[in-house]
Amino acid sequence: MTTRIALVGGTGKLGGIIREVIDDLDGFEVSAVLDSRSDLAELEGADLVVDASTPAVSVDVVRAAIERGINVLVGTSGWSAERITLVRPLVEAAGTGAVFIPNFSLGSVIGSAIAAAAGRFFPFAEIVEAHHAGKVDSPSGTAVRTAELITAARGTPVDAPHVDQRARGQQVASVPVHSLRRPGVIARQETILSGPGETLSIVHDTADPAAAYAPGIRIALEHAVDVRGVVIGLENFIDIGVGAPAARDGRPVQDDAVPGQVAQATSA
């Protein structure tokens, strides 16, 4: 049986990569391609909605899929754990599935898992992420997810001095995140963990998005069709072998446990 996919944002860069993967994948076909101006009624008849739109459009796409009883795979950035909490009851009530993938790159997913595992042993953590100048949201979904995983694995906020100063970045689940948007880079993230007398840096670079994302896209597509409930992160579908079980729940850290500028949704 062929799985029919409605691809939202199919004319964008990520959408184009996803479509190439689907075209080469047995048992899947693109039944509809939508852009940000399309009527979401076009989702009707699909077995799976794949969202590669923009942060401003994505929430409407997810809600439209849930209302129609269709599972949705979200590759759009801008979905923090706080924002996902708002749609979780809708997914559970509808008996459908929603998969949120902050980054399809296996290297990025592994880097975030390593950061979460190591974060339990270091009191200080900060993230510096850089993307091309055309990326409209910041911090990136990958940085948000990494910060949330670190704090969830620790069970307590990281130490973050002087966060009342704007130059110290935006706190996401207690972790200061610094976003760069400039030409000459595709995607790069450095997670810096510090303790008495030492520093551990975990760096991931994306040089070729199509090559880097394709394996993760295939894995996500194959699992998203049958998922029930909310799943956050590609790490739920692969055995990385590192990380703390507490980091995989995906629920946000309570606001009263996080000092300073707790990250809100990056886009309305």
Side-chain angles (χ1 to χ4, degrees), residues 12 14 45 51 77 85 96 102 133 138 143 164 178 238 245 254 259:
L14 176 59
D51 176 32
S77 191
T85 296
T96 59
S138 61
D164 57 317
H178 312 269
I238 57 178
Q254 294 299 313

Side-chain angles (χ1 to χ4, degrees), residues 6-265:
L7 177 57
V8 186
T11 58
K13 291 182 179 179
L14 176 59
I17 295 172
I18 293 174
R19 183 162 190 177
E20 289 182 1
V21 172
I22 294 172
D23 289 343
D24 291 337
L25 193 60
D26 292 338
F28 292 83
E29 69 175 15
V30 176
S31 60
V33 177
L34 292 74
D35 61 26
S36 60
R37 296 176 299 278
S38 297
D39 187 341
L40 293 179
E42 296 180 39
L43 301 180
E44 296 283 357
D47 301 309
L48 176 67
V49 172
V50 177
D51 176 32
S53 61
T54 64
V57 174
S58 184
V59 64
D60 291 330
V61 175
V62 171
R63 285 174 176 166
I66 295 169
E67 290 170 358
R68 289 166 172 79
I70 307 172
N71 275 22
V72 59
L73 168 61
V74 182
T76 303
S77 191
W79 283 91
S80 65
E82 286 85 358
R83 195 179 191 191
I84 293 171
T85 296
L86 300 178
V87 301
R88 188 185 295 271
L90 303 179
V91 174
E92 294 173 350
T96 59
V99 177
F100 296 86
I101 305 295
N103 198 313
F104 287 105
S105 161
L106 297 181
S108 175
V109 173
I110 293 169
S112 294
I114 293 172
R120 292 175 290 159
F121 304 98
F122 293 88
F124 294 82
E126 305 209 19
I127 296 171
V128 180
E129 57 96 351
H131 283 78
H132 56 87
K135 185 171 177 60
V136 298
D137 63 305
S138 61
S140 70
T142 303
V144 169
R145 179 61 174 163
T146 304
E148 291 171 345
L149 287 172
I150 289 171
T151 302
R154 288 173 51 82
T156 58
V158 302
D159 291 338
H162 312 301
V163 292
D164 57 317
Q165 302 171 9
R166 293 184 64 182
R168 290 288 293 117
Q170 178 180 343
Q171 274 195 288
V172 180
S174 81
V175 180
V177 178
H178 312 269
S179 298
L180 309 181
R181 296 293 176 266
R182 59 184 178 84
V185 65
I186 296 174
R188 185 180 195 274
Q189 177 169 297
E190 180 178 11
T191 304
I192 305 167
L193 303 166
S194 299
E198 61 180 338
T199 295
L200 171 65
S201 293
I202 302 165
V203 179
H204 177 262
D205 277 293
T206 300
D208 183 343
Y213 299 160
I217 292 170
R218 286 193 291 269
I219 292 170
L221 286 169
E222 290 168 352
H223 286 83
V225 179
D226 299 318
V227 159
R228 290 294 176 266
V230 172
V231 176
I232 309 172
L234 195 64
E235 66 270 19
N236 291 280
F237 304 135
I238 57 178
D239 183 9
I240 298 174
V242 297
R248 299 193 177 189
D249 179 76
R251 297 180 185 274
V253 177
Q254 294 299 313
D255 286 1
D256 59 6
V258 181
Q261 312 159 9
V262 178
Q264 303 300 316

